[in-house]
Amino acid sequence: MNKEKRHIAILGSTGSIGTQALDVIRANPHIFVAEVLTAQSNAGLLIQQALEFNPNAVVIGDETKYAQVKEALANTDTKVFAGAAALEQVVEFESIDCVLTALVGFAGLKPTIAAINAGKPIALANKETLVVAGQLITQLAQEKGVNILPVDSEHSAIFQCLVGEFHNPIEKIILTASGGPFRGKDASFLATVTKEQALKHPNWDMGAKITIDSATLMNKGLEVIEAKWLFHLKPEQIDVVVHPQSIIHSMVQFTDGSIKAQMGLPDMKLPIQFALAYPHRIKSDFPRFNFANYPSLTFEQPDLKTFKCLNLAFDALDKGGNMACILNAANEVAVAAFLQDKIGFLQIPELLANCMAKGTFVEKPTLTDYLETDAETRTFAAQLI
Ligand code: NAD
Ligand code: MG
């Protein structure tokens, strides 16, 4: 690596990805500096992180907590900001070398655009941004010559398989899915599942929203859309296979028929570190995979009849325009409602399909169109609930 340290802004430092990114930085203080940290409402953890990492600045999204954070950091050099608009300003800091978007949902869109406009490489965990506005984001990144480095484990796997392949064309990619906690269950079982059951993911410990998305298979649908934009693929070049052990993180099939896979224990620290250190691989002490502990790695087709969200994502891709933005907004509302016990598990795909059928379609959306689509869909979805 260069002798110069890499200064990282972590948007969403108090979440699952954010805290694991700080684990990576803590383990490699000679390589990384936590330059900016942000959180929506967990002021306590943000303060604790700031006291440990001494960042240049922090942002607390919830403005009512500004005074608490400001006071706690009064004796430090850390600047304190509050509110959503501050996220768009801090990513422009001259001192930042890379922005890790580890915040959840549509809220990632505007700060990601600001970071790309400021020429910052993006380590992208916030898949919703590419789902909502993949065309706009990838075009802008290309114009600005900015790299978007995937953090999502599947996309990191594909990215790692492509290293050294230069312009060799991809025949297709194969995204692996764990199948989530309800793999093999039927609709009658799903009709009565609780949020507690849905929040128990077999292989990964993640934030609540993505954990519910994994249970519905919406997460894989969002990842299909994310992959389309990251790797310039047609929908028919994207396959999904259920692989319950989550050891193969995804695969690329080339035009000669050869398939490359990236493997390892399920641990998000690896793809986070790969994105932050790219193009270098740095030594880690993460637990190693041992074939003797996994005598069989298994694969099966996803159950698209029972888990309807995955096909809705392919429908949104086929339709194009703002349809994936509608899908994403409806899903954010549906997941929040499910987590508040306002709707049942099977009503999630129903709500999404309804919003996709009734939403105002825009074929060539601008940023303003995306913002309007998001707001309009949220209002409509809330009425349906
Ligand atoms: P999380 O809920 O654990 O953390 C979210 C973070 O974003 C927190 O720091 C929170 O304060 C902040 N935040 C929440 N709402 C915000 C808002 N409106 N404005 C600004 N900040 C806000 O989520 P997570 O599991 O870490 O996931 C973060 C992103 O990474 C998601 O897009 C998710 O799909 C993606 N991702 C997560 C994992 C994982 O293992 N957790 C894996 C792959 C991709
Ligand atoms: Mg993933």
Side-chain angles (χ1 to χ4, degrees):
M1 294 243 16
N2 292 344
K3 272 185 227 114
E4 294 253 316
K5 292 188 193 179
R6 201 167 280 192
H7 293 243
I8 314 288
I10 306 180
L11 308 185
S13 63
T14 56
S16 161
I17 293 289
T19 52
Q20 293 181 85
L22 284 173
D23 290 342
V24 168
I25 293 177
R26 186 184 292 108
N28 297 282
H30 52 299
I31 300 175
F32 301 119
V33 175
E35 184 68 14
V36 170
L37 302 177
T38 85
Q40 181 57 18
S41 55
N42 191 345
L45 182 55
L46 183 66
I47 291 165
Q48 194 184 314
Q49 292 176 339
L51 292 173
E52 177 183 352
F53 290 93
N54 194 28
N56 181 358
V58 298
V59 179
I60 180 79
D62 178 350
E63 297 182 38
T64 66
K65 299 193 170 160
Y66 172 76
Q68 181 194 348
V69 179
K70 180 80 185 152
E71 194 183 310
L73 301 181
N75 295 327
T76 71
D77 299 330
T78 301
K79 303 178 194 85
V80 181
F81 303 96
L87 288 181
E88 292 169 65
Q89 287 151 12
V90 291
V91 294
E92 294 178 352
F93 284 1
E94 182 86 45
S95 54
I96 295 171
D97 297 315
C98 174
V99 175
L100 170 61
T101 62
L103 69 183
V104 62
F106 184 86
L109 179 61
K110 285 200 198 164
T112 306
I113 291 174
I116 296 172
N117 273 324
K120 309 296 184 191
I122 308 292
L124 184 128
N126 178 247
K127 66 190 86 186
E128 293 91 344
T129 284
L130 279 186
V131 170
V132 166
Q135 172 111 50
L136 186 152
I137 293 287
T138 48
Q139 212 171 311
L140 185 65
Q142 201 184 358
E143 276 167 34
K144 301 282 172 186
V146 159
N147 272 337
I148 299 182
L149 305 160
V151 169
D152 213 347
S153 57
E154 296 77 0
H155 306 73
S156 176
I158 292 162
F159 188 59
Q160 292 181 57
C161 291
L162 292 175
V163 169
E165 291 291 344
F166 304 101
H167 297 295
N168 287 332
I170 298 173
E171 191 162 86
K172 66 175 184 180
I173 62 164
I174 303 146
L175 290 177
T176 51
S178 70
F182 304 139
R183 184 175 64 89
K185 303 296 188 200
D186 60 13
S188 69
F189 180 90
L190 295 178
T192 59
V193 294
T194 62
K195 65 179 179 216
E196 287 76 17
Q197 288 169 290
L199 284 169
K200 280 204 188 88
H201 196 279
N203 302 344
W204 300 96
D205 184 11
M206 311 179 285
K209 196 249 172 190
I210 183 175
T211 306
I212 301 303
D213 286 344
S214 300
T216 60
L217 287 201
M218 187 71 251
N219 183 50
K220 213 47 57 181
L222 301 178
E223 291 182 353
V224 165
I225 301 173
E226 181 186 13
K228 178 217 152 65
W229 294 114
L230 280 172
F231 305 111
H232 318 289
L233 300 169
K234 299 195 182 82
E236 56 273 21
Q237 288 177 290
I238 309 173
D239 276 1
V240 173
V241 66
V242 172
H243 166 46
Q245 297 82 21
S246 296
I247 296 300
I248 294 186
H249 298 306
S250 279
M251 296 171 261
V252 179
Q253 181 174 314
F254 294 93
T255 43
D256 59 357
S258 175
I259 297 176
K260 277 188 178 179
Q262 187 265 336
M263 303 172 68
L265 290 171
D267 181 350
M268 285 307 297
K269 287 202 282 293
L270 198 138
I272 292 169
Q273 176 172 299
F274 186 79
L276 296 185
Y278 181 81
H280 308 280
R281 284 191 188 273
I282 56 183
K283 197 170 162 52
S284 85
D285 60 0
F286 309 148
R288 280 5 184 198
F289 173 72
N290 181 344
F291 278 92
N293 297 336
Y294 289 83
S296 71
L297 297 178
T298 61
F299 304 91
E300 62 200 47
Q301 287 307 309
D303 175 358
L304 301 174
K305 281 210 183 96
T306 310
F307 297 89
K308 297 188 190 304
C309 288
L310 184 51
N311 272 345
L312 291 175
F314 276 105
D315 292 347
L317 263 191
D318 286 340
K319 189 83 187 166
N322 64 339
M323 194 51 81
C325 178
I326 296 176
L327 172 73
N328 179 72
N331 185 54
E332 289 192 32
V333 174
V335 170
F338 175 71
L339 287 170
Q340 292 163 12
D341 300 314
K342 286 184 185 155
I343 62 172
F345 191 78
L346 290 180
Q347 287 171 289
I348 297 175
E350 264 174 42
L351 189 78
L352 308 194
N354 231 318
C355 289
M356 287 170 72
K358 309 265 168 60
T360 314
F361 183 67
V362 182
E363 186 149 6
K364 293 208 163 84
T366 61
L367 176 58
T368 312
D369 292 322
Y370 287 126
L371 298 172
E372 280 173 13
T373 298
D374 181 73
E376 186 187 298
T377 308
R378 282 170 196 270
T379 308
F380 180 63
Q383 280 163 6
L384 290 177
I385 290 165

